[in-house]
C-alpha cells in the first residue's frame, strides 16, 4: 500500500487483536490498540447478564466509554482501518467514542470485525454517521479465523487502496 495506513482496533478477548496484527503486517500499517480507560472484567463482558457493563452500554445508544490514550500523529494517516468484535450485531460503543474523537475528513476509513457467529449487521451504517461527510468510507469485512496475506491483499485490492 502506497498510502500511510493505521490499523486501530479494540479487542476484548484477543481475537480482534490477532486479525488486526495480520492486517497490519499484510499492508505495512502502523498499529494502535483502542484501550478502554476502565478495562473490562470478565463480569463486565458477560452478555448473558443484562446488568453487566457491556450489556448496559449496548442498551444505551448514547454510551461512549472513555478511551485511555490517543493516536499520535493521526493527521499523517491517509487510511485508517478500524477493527472490533461484534457485540449485539453492532460495534461496541467504544468504537463510536474512537470515531467521534478524530476528524476523518479526507481520510479513508475501512472497518473490519470479528465475531463468533454473526456478520456486521447494521454496524457500518451506525459508524459511518460518526465520521465527517468528507470521510471516504469503504465497505467492511469480517476477518474471522486465520487470514492469509494473499487473502487480505486481495480484499484491499478490491477496495482500490
Amino acid at each position: 500500500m502506497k498510502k500511510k495506513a493505521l490499523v486501530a482496533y479494540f479487542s476484548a478477548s484477543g481475537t480482534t487483536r490477532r486479525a488486526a496484527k495480520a492486517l497490519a503486517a499484510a499492508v505495512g500499517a502502523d498499529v494502535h490498540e483502542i484501550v478502554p480507560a476502565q478495562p473490562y472484567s470478565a463480569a463486565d463482558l458477560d452478555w448473558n447478564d443484562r446488568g453487566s457493563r457491556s450489556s448496559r452500554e449496548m442498551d444505551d445508544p448514547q454510551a461512549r466509554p472513555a478511551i485511555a490514550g490517543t493516536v499520535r500523529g493521526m493527521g499523517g494517516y491517509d487510511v485508517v482501518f478500524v477493527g472490533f468484535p461484534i457485540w449485539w450485531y453492532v460495534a461496541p460503543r467504544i468504537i463510536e467514542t474512537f470515531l467521534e474523537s478524530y476528524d476523518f475528513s479526507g481520510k479513508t476509513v475501512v472497518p473490519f470485525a470479528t465475531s463468533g457467529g454473526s456478520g456486521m449487521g447494521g454496524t457500518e451504517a451506525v459508524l459511518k454517521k460518526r465520521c465527517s461527510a468528507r470521510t471516504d468510507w469503504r465497505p467492511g469485512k469480517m476477518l474471522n479465523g486465520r487470514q492469509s496475506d494473499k487473502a487480505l491483499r486481495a480484499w484491499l485490492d478490491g477496495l482500490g487502496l
Side-chain angles (χ1 to χ4, degrees):
M1 176 178 289
K2 295 176 183 169
K3 298 179 180 182
K4 187 169 181 185
L6 173 70
V7 174
Y9 72 92
F10 166 70
S11 185
S13 67
T15 302
T16 306
R17 177 182 294 112
R18 285 187 293 278
K21 291 191 176 193
L23 177 58
V27 300
D30 294 337
V31 178
H32 173 79
E33 182 175 6
I34 300 167
V35 178
Q38 178 187 350
Y40 288 94
S41 68
D44 290 336
L45 297 171
D46 183 358
W47 59 273
N48 289 309
D49 177 0
R50 299 290 301 153
S52 73
R53 178 175 156 205
S54 60
S55 294
R56 288 190 322 271
E57 287 174 1
M58 297 311 292
D59 282 342
D60 180 3
Q62 302 307 312
R64 295 295 184 272
I67 295 173
T70 59
V71 176
R72 288 185 169 200
M74 178 62 95
Y77 292 103
D78 304 303
V79 179
V80 180
F81 295 90
V82 181
F84 47 87
I86 295 293
W87 288 3
W88 293 263
Y89 305 101
V90 294
R93 300 285 181 214
I94 196 166
I95 298 302
E96 292 176 81
T97 305
F98 178 78
L99 291 173
E100 292 170 348
S101 297
Y102 300 94
D103 181 3
F104 292 96
S105 298
K107 297 183 185 308
T108 300
V109 175
V110 185
F112 68 94
T114 59
S115 173
S118 65
M120 286 190 130
T123 198
E124 288 189 77
V126 171
L127 297 180
K128 186 176 180 180
K129 291 177 187 174
R130 304 298 175 237
C131 295
S132 160
R134 296 184 331 138
T135 301
D136 179 13
W137 187 272
R138 300 292 177 95
K141 183 168 178 64
M142 296 299 298
L143 296 181
N144 292 323
R146 184 174 291 262
Q147 301 294 314
S148 71
D149 281 356
K150 183 178 179 180
L152 290 169
R153 286 193 185 114
W155 169 51
L156 297 172
D157 288 346
L159 293 172
L161 301 176

